Amino acid sequence: MTQVPPPGSVVVTDWYRCKDSKEYFNKILHKKRRKHFGLLESPVMPPHVAVDTVHYKIFISGKSGVGKTALAAHLAGLSIPSLYYETTGIETTVVYWPVKLRESGRVLFFRLQLWDCGENALRRFDHLLPSCKEQLDAILFLFSFTDRTSFDDLSNQITKWTGTAGSHFVKLVVGTKYDLFMHCDVTERDVRDFQETTGLPVLRTGGEVSDGLGDVAPLLNCLAENLWHQDCVTARSNRHLSPQETGTFL
C-alpha cells in the first residue's frame, strides 16, 4: 500500500481562501453556489490560463443507511435527499475541485467521478461489482458515528477490497453523521485505535450542505492529495523499470 502523505505536504490545503484561487473556484460556482456538472461538462477557463484536468474514479463503500448518497451530494454541493431510499443501481456524481500543488505551485482541476451503488444491488447483480472496480483510483470506506455495526464492519470492507488483485488505489475512511454527537455509538478513542491499527486516515462529515467551500475542502483536499501522491509514486516506480519491463506497458 502506498504510504499516506502527511496532511498538507502535497497540496496547499487552505488555498481556497487565498485571493489567487478566486479565478479558479469561480468556475465551479454560480451565484456563490456550486455548479452542477454533468458527465460531459467541465469548468471553462480563459484562453490565457492553462490548467490541466486530472480524472479519477472513486467508489463509495459502506453498509446501507450510512450516508453514501448523502456524502456524494454533499461533496458536489447538491441538495441532500430528505427521504432515505437505498440506491437501486449505480449512481455517479461528478465533482470538480481546483488544487494548487505545494512544491511546484502548479494548479490542477481534479475531476472526481463518485460511484455509489446500493449494498443490496451489489449482492443481487453480479455485473455491478466488476463495473465499480474497473479502472478504480480510490475508495471511500464509510461508517456512521450513530451506527456501531457500520464501524465494526470496516475491517470486512477493507479486507474485501485489499484482498483483490491489482488493488493499488487510495483508501480513505469517512465517518458520517458526526454532527449527531448526542447519538454517537463510536467514540474518538475507537477512531484513534482504528487509525493506529490500519494506518488509514479517518475523516469526518455531517450536517447540511452550505454555500461555502470550507465544509467540503478538508475531504476533497485530502482525497486529491492522496491521489496525486499515488500517481507520483507510480510514475517514479515506472521510471526505474528496465527497458524490457517498460515495454510491457507500451
Side-chain angles (χ1 to χ4, degrees):
M1 182 178 69
T2 303
Q3 186 176 4
V4 176
S9 62
V10 178
V11 307
V12 181
T13 53
D14 62 346
W15 185 55
Y16 67 95
R17 295 193 181 104
C18 300
K19 184 180 295 186
D20 65 322
S21 73
K22 301 306 179 187
E23 184 176 16
Y24 301 91
F25 279 96
N26 283 342
K27 299 304 178 182
I28 66 169
L29 297 173
H30 178 66
K31 296 182 178 179
K32 298 184 179 181
R33 297 182 66 89
R34 298 277 294 284
K35 286 183 182 178
H36 304 159
F37 292 97
L39 291 176
L40 302 179
E41 296 176 306
S42 62
V44 179
M45 296 296 295
H48 68 279
V49 181
V51 183
D52 291 324
T53 300
V54 287
H55 298 241
Y56 295 99
K57 175 181 175 180
I58 295 95
F59 182 69
I60 304 177
S61 174
K63 287 170 59 67
S64 295
V66 296
K68 299 188 291 293
T69 302
L71 177 67
H74 183 65
L75 295 180
L78 303 173
S79 299
I80 296 176
S82 56
L83 297 177
Y84 168 74
Y85 66 92
E86 183 169 0
T87 305
T88 55
I90 296 174
E91 293 184 1
T92 62
T93 306
V94 174
V95 177
Y96 278 93
W97 186 251
V99 163
K100 186 174 186 178
L101 302 180
R102 182 170 294 281
E103 185 173 340
S104 64
R106 180 184 176 192
V107 176
L108 297 170
F109 264 112
F110 278 71
R111 182 189 186 276
L112 308 173
Q113 188 177 52
L114 307 177
W115 283 51
D116 167 28
C117 188
E119 188 180 25
N120 289 325
L122 282 175
R123 292 196 185 112
R124 291 179 58 193
F125 304 109
D126 295 338
H127 66 283
L128 293 183
L129 187 58
S131 297
C132 294
K133 289 183 176 181
E134 186 178 6
Q135 298 181 324
L136 188 65
D137 297 298
I139 299 183
L140 301 180
F141 295 104
L142 266 61
F143 73 93
S144 169
F145 274 95
T146 63
D147 180 0
R148 179 73 195 194
T149 60
S150 68
F151 180 77
D152 293 337
D153 187 56
L154 281 175
S155 59
N156 293 330
Q157 286 189 57
I158 295 169
T159 299
K160 179 176 69 175
W161 285 91
T162 57
T164 59
S167 58
H168 301 294
F169 37 71
V170 168
K171 306 169 189 69
L172 299 178
V173 178
V174 181
T176 64
K177 306 178 185 179
Y178 186 60
D179 56 317
L180 302 178
F181 57 90
M182 293 295 291
H183 306 283
C184 277
D185 290 333
V186 181
T187 67
E188 288 296 326
R189 180 167 184 173
D190 293 330
V191 173
R192 286 197 302 271
D193 291 345
F194 174 85
Q195 287 179 297
E196 291 174 1
T197 301
T198 64
L200 297 177
V202 177
L203 304 166
R204 298 158 176 78
T205 185
E208 295 297 323
V209 175
S210 74
D211 293 342
L213 301 170
D215 55 341
V216 297
L219 202 158
L220 289 176
N221 280 329
C222 181
L223 184 55
E225 187 162 56
N226 279 270
L227 286 166
W228 188 252
H229 174 72
Q230 176 178 255
D231 280 358
C232 292
V233 170
T234 302
R236 286 195 295 266
S237 176
N238 289 342
R239 282 201 299 267
H240 286 91
L241 291 174
S242 66
Q244 292 81 5
E245 291 173 310
T246 304
T248 63
F249 291 90
L250 300 179

